């Protein structure tokens, strides 16, 4: 019995990570917040009896009540419904744009770090050029070329975030490449592709996960900013940033129209940031 | 006064802004007389002027500034569209109505010090008459350019230094800037501000009272109101109707209501699909809830429109029955037109607050929701104001929102200017062409009996209603706001006014 208990307590890497993460209360709060928004996004149609874009001009700018939990906006649309459906758009843009930039960034980073030489020079200079622009400005420029829509905002945000991932992976690959097990793998005749996918990639991925979580937070803010500027989601989409832009003139008459979408943005971003910080603490060997 | 005379005088008014060559010696005027300080008034508006040469524009934001720099031979009454002397102190009309002789005011100087005389008037009319469509989009007001068939003016000549004579081809029933107006041009920073200063040698004694006027551009309606509240600006255009109670409840502010003489509409380019089909246009006419729109985004400061001209103008046809808001009937009509499942289209909405539509983007969203009900999927689009007007004039926008504020209070200035086939490429953004309508409108221009003339315009409105090149949306009462220290500001129904009687207390 005693021996078995000892075996059970032996920690796998994931278990080790989870215990470290769990000890971080703020990270758990972040996880809770994000989980909450994911749930309301998935079950949005069950939470409300209104459609997000059904107008009722007779009931505009109503204060919160039992029939409209958050009140109504200037088109008489139910604000609660719009905020809840807005979670779908924001999380969708956040996840998808980060997935895109992480995939492209990781690929370019591995290629640059592993093969080096002229490939590294080209890719790294490309990253430098992208990083030379303030990110929101670059996103605006890209949307200006592609035309304003939520999908193009998503593409713009993905492109803007590519160099962050690329540089991170490249520097990690440069150090992993020097490890003795890579030399050993090469000595027994393992090919480049197999070394990359079986050794370099798994050992370089931890910082990408941390960066990815933090980048979702940034992406959600950038999507909201583009929506606010009229370059992201288009009417009548219930995108939080657009909702803020559309109702800023009602700041004094109907503060709820700004308050609720504003807080929704704040809490999701806070949630992802807290998780990101927790992940970094749990995954970074230097922090232990 | 005969209608024909009225209209002819009216067109002189609208386009006779007097321009002379830009002087290099503008410093001269700085040395002039008194130095009593009247303060500089800051006027905030939603969009920048598209030009400062009034004869190249038909756009209200241009006239708002040029009305202060230039003067006309004649002017309107303070709050109405009666004809009053301005640079012309008197005028005579020959018995056949074809020769008009104007006696000019003496001792009037341009901002650069040049004397105003008959030659200056002739120069200006020649400049206009020898122009082309690109330079002078408002040509329809005079029929056509010189030598062309439709041209109204045959000749303008200086009889002596202070007398100008206009000879017409037919009696007509319905212009760095230097002028003779109360203010002179200082600088124009595009999309930011236009600065004017007092013209010290202005020919009316004691005017202007202000030291200068600055026209600032603040696109957002609520930001503009905040600038007024913060004391950054003195007068604002385009007050959101929903903010009216905020302003009237504030003792440091005042509301200025502009008498209504406009129409805001949704236009269809009838040359493009699917709007080449009359049934589609009629169906969409049934699908917009104008009353709800007015309640929500005009705070009641508008009436629903059923004709292309406002009811305050003579010849308005009240017998026209508006398409009833009825989604089922609209859907049936659309099916009859061959679109049982609707279609997808872009809706262009103005980027700036206009007197006839202070919140175009919001109105567009309501129309979007209304059309969705009958299966028409709409994407709301917008672009910079000057480009917007340009694209509309070229026929690049197939469904767009726009409007018109009357220049002279005459039916011709709405129906002929906006919907006659002669105006295609100009203000007929719908590119609507109907020969029967054209005949009626031309006949009305030369008809001197007011009753018969009104009757012709009533017929015209029936034709327009049936062909439905627009969905006429509203006739609004445009709201402005000012600090309570602004005195003597009288808003004119035409949408722009000179600030010569205005003072700051």
């Amino acid at each position: 019995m005693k021996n078995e208990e000892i075996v059970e307590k032996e920690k796998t890497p994931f278990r080790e990570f989870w215990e470290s993460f769990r000890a971080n209360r703020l990270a758990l709060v972040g996880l809770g917040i994000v989980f909450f928004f994911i749930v309301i996004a998935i079950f949005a149609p069950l939470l409300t009896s209104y459609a997000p874009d059904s107008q009722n001009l007779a009931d505009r700018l109503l204060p919160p009540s039992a029939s409209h939990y958050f009140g109504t906006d200037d088109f008489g649309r139910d604000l609660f419904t719009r905020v809840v459906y807005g979670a779908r758009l924001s999380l969708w843009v956040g996840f998808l744009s980060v997935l895109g930039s992480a995939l492209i960034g990781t690929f370019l980073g591995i290629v640059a770090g592993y093969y080096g030489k002229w490939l590294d020079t080209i890719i790294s200079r490309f990253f430098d050029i992208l990083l030379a622009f303030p990110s929101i400005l670059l996103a605006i420029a890209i949307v200006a070329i592609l035309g304003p829509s939520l999908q193009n905002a998503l593409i713009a945000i993905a492109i803007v975030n590519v160099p962050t991932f690329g540089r991170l992976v490249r520097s990690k690959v440069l150090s992993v490449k020097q490890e003795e097990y890579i030399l050993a793998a090469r000595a027994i005749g393992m090919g480049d592709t197999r070394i990359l996918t079986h050794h370099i990639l798994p050992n370089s991925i931890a910082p990408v996960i941390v960066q990815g979580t933090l980048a979702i937070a940034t992406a959600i803010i950038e999507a909201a900013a583009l929506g606010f500027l009229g370059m992201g989601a288009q009417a009548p989409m219930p995108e939080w940033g657009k909702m803020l832009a559309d109702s800023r003139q009602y700041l004094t008459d109907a503060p709820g129209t700004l308050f609720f979408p504003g807080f929704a943005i704040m809490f999701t971003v806070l949630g992802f940031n807290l998780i990101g910080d927790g992940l970094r603490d749990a995954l970074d060997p230097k922090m232990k | 006064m005969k209608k024909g005379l009225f209209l002819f005088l009216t067109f002189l008014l609208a386009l006779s802004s007097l321009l002379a060559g830009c002087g290099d010696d503008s410093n001269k005027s700085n040395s002039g007389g008194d130095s009593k300080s009247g303060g500089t008034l800051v006027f905030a508006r939603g969009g920048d002027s598209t030009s400062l040469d009034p004869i190249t524009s038909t756009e209200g934001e241009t006239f708002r500034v040029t009305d202060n720099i230039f003067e006309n031979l004649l002017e309107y009454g303070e709050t109405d569209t009666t004809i009053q002397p301005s640079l012309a102190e008197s005028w005579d009309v020959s018995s056949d109505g074809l020769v008009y002789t104007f006696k000019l005011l003496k001792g009037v100087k341009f901002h650069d010090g040049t004397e105003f005389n008959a030659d200056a008037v002739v120069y200006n009319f020649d400049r206009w008459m020898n122009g082309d469509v690109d330079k002078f989009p408002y040509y329809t007001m005079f029929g056509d350019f010189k030598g062309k068939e439709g041209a109204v003016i045959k000749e303008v000549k200086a009889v002596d230094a202070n007398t100008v004579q206009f000879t017409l081809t037919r009696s007509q029933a319905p212009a760095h800037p230097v002028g003779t107006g109360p203010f002179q041009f200082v600088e124009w920073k595009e999309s930011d501000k236009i600065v004017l200063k007092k013209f010290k040698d202005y020919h009316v004694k004691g005017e202007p009272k202000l030291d200068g006027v600055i026209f600032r551009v603040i696109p957002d309606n609520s930001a503009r109101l905040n600038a007024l509240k913060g004391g950054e600006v003195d007068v604002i255009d385009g007050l959101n109707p929903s903010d009216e109670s905020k302003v009237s409840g504030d003792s440091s502010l005042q509301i200025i209501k502009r008498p209504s003489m406009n129409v805001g509409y949704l236009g269809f380019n009838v040359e493009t699909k699917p709007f080449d089909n009359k049934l589609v246009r009629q169906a969409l006419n049934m699908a917009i809830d104008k009353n709800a729109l007015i309640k929500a985004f005009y705070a009641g400061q508008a009436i629903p429109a059923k004709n292309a001209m406002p009811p305050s103008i003579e010849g308005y046809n009240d017998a026209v029955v508006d398409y009833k808001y009825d989604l089922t009937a609209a859907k049936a009509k659309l099916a009859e037109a061959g679109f049982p499942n609707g279609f997808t289209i872009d809706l262009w909405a103005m980027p700036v607050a206009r007197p006839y539509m202070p919140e175009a983007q919001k109105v567009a969203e309501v129309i979007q929701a209304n059309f969705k009900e009958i299966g028409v999927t709409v994407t709301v689009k917008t672009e910079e104001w000057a480009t917007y007007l340009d694209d509309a004039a070229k026929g690049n926008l197939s469904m767009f929102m726009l409007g018109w504020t009357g220049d002279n209070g005459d039916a011709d200035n709405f129906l002929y200017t906006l919907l006659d086939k002669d105006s295609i490429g100009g203000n007929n953004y719908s590119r609507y062409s109907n020969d029967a309508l054209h005949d009626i409108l031309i006949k009305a221009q030369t008809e001197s009996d007011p009753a018969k003339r009104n009757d012709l315009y009533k017929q015209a409105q029936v034709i327009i209603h049936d062909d439905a090149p627009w969905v006429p949306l509203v006739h609004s009462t445009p709201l402005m706001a000012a600090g309570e220290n602004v005195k003597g500001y009288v808003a004119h129904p035409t949408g722009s006014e000179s600030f010569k009687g205005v003072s700051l207390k």
Side-chain angles (χ1 to χ4, degrees):
Chain A
M1 279 300 278
K2 259 187 177 174
N3 280 342
E4 277 176 30
E5 271 182 343
I6 292 162
V7 170
E8 261 181 20
K9 277 182 182 169
E10 201 167 278
K11 294 169 180 171
T12 62
F14 177 76
R15 199 185 170 86
E16 193 182 348
F17 150 75
W18 175 243
E19 279 179 4
S20 156
F21 185 81
R22 202 173 52 175
N24 188 337
R25 282 217 187 125
L26 279 176
L28 285 181
V29 170
L31 196 65
I33 294 173
V34 169
F35 183 70
F36 171 75
F37 276 101
I38 292 175
V39 168
I40 64 161
I42 292 172
F43 297 105
L46 302 176
L47 295 171
T48 166
S49 54
Y50 300 95
D53 56 353
S54 79
Q55 300 184 356
N56 184 355
L57 291 175
D59 290 341
R60 59 199 298 271
L61 300 174
L62 294 180
S65 66
S67 53
H68 299 286
Y69 305 133
F70 289 176
T72 58
D73 71 1
D74 53 333
F75 293 98
R77 299 177 295 210
D78 182 58
L79 207 57
F80 174 74
T81 308
R82 288 180 69 75
V83 171
V84 165
Y85 275 88
R88 289 184 161 189
L89 297 177
S90 287
L91 293 177
W92 174 254
V93 171
F95 280 117
L96 222 64
S97 66
V98 167
L99 188 70
S101 43
L103 283 176
I104 299 168
T106 305
F107 174 74
L108 291 176
I110 285 181
V111 169
Y114 188 72
Y115 291 104
K117 303 210 180 88
W118 61 273
L119 258 176
D120 184 25
T121 312
I122 292 174
I123 293 173
S124 295
R125 293 301 82 76
F126 170 67
F127 291 162
D128 288 345
I129 292 169
L130 283 185
L131 285 169
F133 294 96
S135 62
I136 190 73
L137 203 67
L138 184 59
I140 290 172
I142 295 170
V143 173
I145 295 166
L146 297 175
S149 78
L150 188 64
Q151 192 192 331
N152 291 341
L154 191 155
I155 292 170
I157 294 165
I159 294 173
V160 165
N161 286 326
V162 163
T164 328
F165 287 97
R167 282 193 157 188
L168 195 70
V169 172
R170 177 182 168 272
S171 66
K172 188 74 185 168
V173 169
L174 284 178
S175 71
V176 171
K177 198 164 76 163
Q178 311 298 327
E179 299 285 342
E180 282 172 358
Y181 60 84
I182 302 292
L183 194 64
R186 199 167 281 154
I188 60 166
M190 204 181 259
D192 275 355
T193 318
R194 203 171 160 79
I195 293 176
L196 279 174
T197 51
H198 283 71
H199 294 290
I200 306 262
L201 188 61
N203 285 294
S204 312
I205 211 72
V208 173
I209 294 170
V210 175
Q211 180 59 35
T213 319
L214 293 168
I216 290 176
T218 324
I220 289 174
I221 289 192
E222 278 167 355
L226 288 174
F228 188 88
L229 295 171
M231 308 199 74
Q234 297 297 305
M237 279 183 154
E239 201 272 332
W240 294 336
K242 174 144 181 61
M243 288 164 75
L244 283 181
D246 287 348
S247 46
R248 64 188 190 277
Q249 68 190 81
Y250 305 110
L251 179 62
T252 49
D253 301 331
T257 53
L258 283 140
F259 185 84
F260 293 109
F263 267 71
I265 296 173
M266 196 200 92
F267 278 114
T268 27
V269 170
L270 180 70
F272 279 106
N273 275 333
L274 291 176
I275 295 180
D277 286 345
L279 283 177
R280 189 177 51 206
D281 294 352
L283 291 172
D284 190 344
K286 287 185 205 128
M287 305 289 281
K288 282 183 187 149
Chain B
M1 184 168 39
K2 270 165 116 184
K3 202 72 190 177
L5 171 63
F6 172 82
L7 283 169
F8 176 69
L9 296 180
T10 288
F11 89 68
L12 281 179
L13 226 163
L15 270 172
S16 60
S17 296
L18 292 163
L19 301 153
C22 292
D24 307 315
D25 49 355
S26 53
N27 298 333
K28 273 188 201 164
S29 50
N30 293 341
S31 53
D34 79 44
S35 56
K36 203 173 75 196
S37 176
T40 296
L41 181 125
V42 185
F43 184 98
R45 56 201 180 134
D48 200 3
S49 302
T50 53
S51 161
L52 282 184
D53 187 348
I55 72 175
T56 64
S57 183
T58 64
E59 182 258 344
E61 295 304 340
T62 295
F63 298 146
R64 201 189 283 290
V65 178
T66 57
D67 277 3
N68 285 290
I69 303 177
F70 304 109
E71 285 183 306
N72 305 315
L73 289 180
L74 304 164
E75 66 182 8
Y76 291 125
E78 260 198 347
T79 57
D80 53 38
T81 50
T82 57
I83 303 294
Q84 307 288 338
S86 178
L87 286 176
E89 49 182 15
S90 65
W91 59 91
D92 288 310
V93 189
S94 67
S95 54
D96 60 2
L98 292 179
V99 181
Y100 287 70
T101 310
F102 292 89
K103 280 277 175 208
L104 305 181
L105 209 59
K106 286 175 197 157
V108 176
K109 280 193 169 68
F110 281 101
H111 296 154
D112 64 357
T114 320
E115 286 287 338
F116 164 74
N117 56 26
D119 289 337
V121 177
V122 174
Y123 171 84
N124 275 280
F125 278 89
D126 279 349
R127 177 168 175 251
W128 172 76
M129 288 191 295
N130 297 313
D132 57 48
V133 180
D134 288 342
K135 283 186 199 142
F136 306 132
Y138 211 179
Y139 68 94
T140 55
M141 199 156 203
F142 297 89
D144 208 332
F145 295 110
K146 195 175 182 179
K148 298 238 177 93
E149 200 187 327
V152 171
I153 303 177
K154 193 170 162 198
E155 189 189 22
V156 181
K157 71 175 185 213
V159 177
D160 61 47
N162 295 302
T163 312
V164 190
Q165 202 171 67
F166 289 78
T167 310
L168 311 186
T169 52
R170 54 180 158 110
S171 61
Q172 166 72 357
H176 179 112
V178 175
T180 62
F183 296 96
Q184 66 187 97
F185 178 78
V186 178
E187 65 166 339
W188 182 9
K189 286 188 181 153
E190 278 185 46
S191 301
D192 177 22
K193 62 179 177 184
I194 294 174
V195 180
L196 306 182
K197 70 173 182 190
K198 177 180 189 163
F199 176 41
K200 297 220 166 72
D201 291 331
Y202 187 56
H203 62 87
V204 178
K205 284 252 155 60
E207 300 287 359
K209 298 185 178 80
L210 297 168
D211 287 341
V213 181
I214 297 173
F215 292 87
R216 275 190 55 192
V217 178
I218 305 178
D220 182 68
N221 293 358
S222 34
R224 208 178 312 119
L225 175 58
N226 286 336
L228 175 69
K229 284 181 175 166
E232 265 178 74
V233 304
D234 302 302
V235 181
I236 62 165
D237 187 38
L239 177 70
N240 273 340
S242 55
D243 288 333
E244 190 195 356
S245 57
K246 263 183 249 171
V247 175
S248 53
D250 187 333
S251 62
S252 67
L253 302 176
Q254 56 176 316
I255 295 261
I256 299 171
K257 279 189 187 178
R258 189 182 290 287
S260 176
M261 195 171 81
N262 60 37
V263 60
Y265 64 88
L266 173 72
F268 308 116
N269 182 342
V270 300
E271 288 176 358
T272 60
K273 281 188 187 307
F275 303 120
D276 54 345
N277 186 335
K278 184 164 110 176
L279 294 174
V280 171
R281 306 195 297 263
Q282 289 179 338
L284 296 184
N285 259 283
M286 299 172 181
I288 298 176
D289 188 355
K290 296 174 194 173
N291 285 309
L293 200 77
I294 288 168
K295 221 174 149 195
F297 294 110
Y298 288 86
Q301 298 287 350
I303 54 167
K306 59 184 181 184
N307 284 317
M309 57 188 254
S312 58
I313 288 180
E314 257 186 77
Y316 179 78
N317 192 344
D318 206 23
V320 168
V321 180
D322 198 8
Y323 294 98
K324 197 173 164 251
Y325 172 61
D326 183 343
L327 295 173
T328 322
K331 214 168 154 54
K333 195 74 143 177
L334 209 55
E336 191 190 333
F339 296 93
N341 303 315
F343 50 88
T344 300
I345 196 93
D346 290 341
L347 166 59
W348 291 85
M350 294 87 78
V352 291
R354 304 308 308 143
Y356 44 81
M357 206 172 285
E359 297 181 272
Q361 299 293 326
K362 302 271 185 192
V363 171
E365 256 192 88
V366 174
I367 293 175
Q368 181 185 40
N370 281 165
F371 283 1
K372 195 185 163 194
E373 306 271 341
I374 58 165
V376 176
T377 310
V378 163
T379 310
V380 180
K381 293 208 163 175
T382 191
E383 61 186 352
E384 190 262 325
W385 182 222
T387 323
Y388 187 94
L389 289 173
D390 199 44
D391 274 344
K394 286 181 179 147
N396 295 341
L397 313 181
S398 65
M399 182 163 78
F400 54 92
M401 288 163 41
L402 259 170
W404 183 254
T405 300
D407 294 302
N408 54 28
D410 190 82
D412 182 75
N413 181 248
F414 278 85
L415 305 185
Y416 179 77
T417 306
L418 303 176
L419 289 162
D420 188 79
K421 65 174 185 177
D422 285 352
S423 305
I424 294 175
N427 289 302
N428 183 351
Y429 301 124
S430 284
R431 308 182 88 77
Y432 166 61
S433 171
N434 181 321
D435 289 326
L437 177 73
H438 176 72
D439 291 343
I440 290 176
L441 291 176
I442 293 296
K443 215 166 138 195
Q445 286 182 343
T446 47
E447 178 59 63
S448 55
D449 177 3
K452 281 185 188 158
R453 196 166 178 269
N454 288 345
D455 202 50
L456 287 170
Y457 283 123
K458 284 182 181 172
Q459 289 175 35
Q461 286 163 76
V462 172
I463 295 176
I464 294 167
H465 173 78
D466 183 59
D467 277 343
W470 297 355
V471 181
L473 294 172
V474 297
H475 305 298
S476 76
T477 300
L479 296 179
M480 299 166 68
E484 53 85 30
N485 59 334
V486 176
K487 299 289 173 205
Y489 197 109
V490 183
H492 195 272
T494 57
S496 61
E497 50 269 328
S498 156
F499 292 169
K500 73 180 177 200
V502 180
S503 62
L504 288 170
K505 200 176 68 177

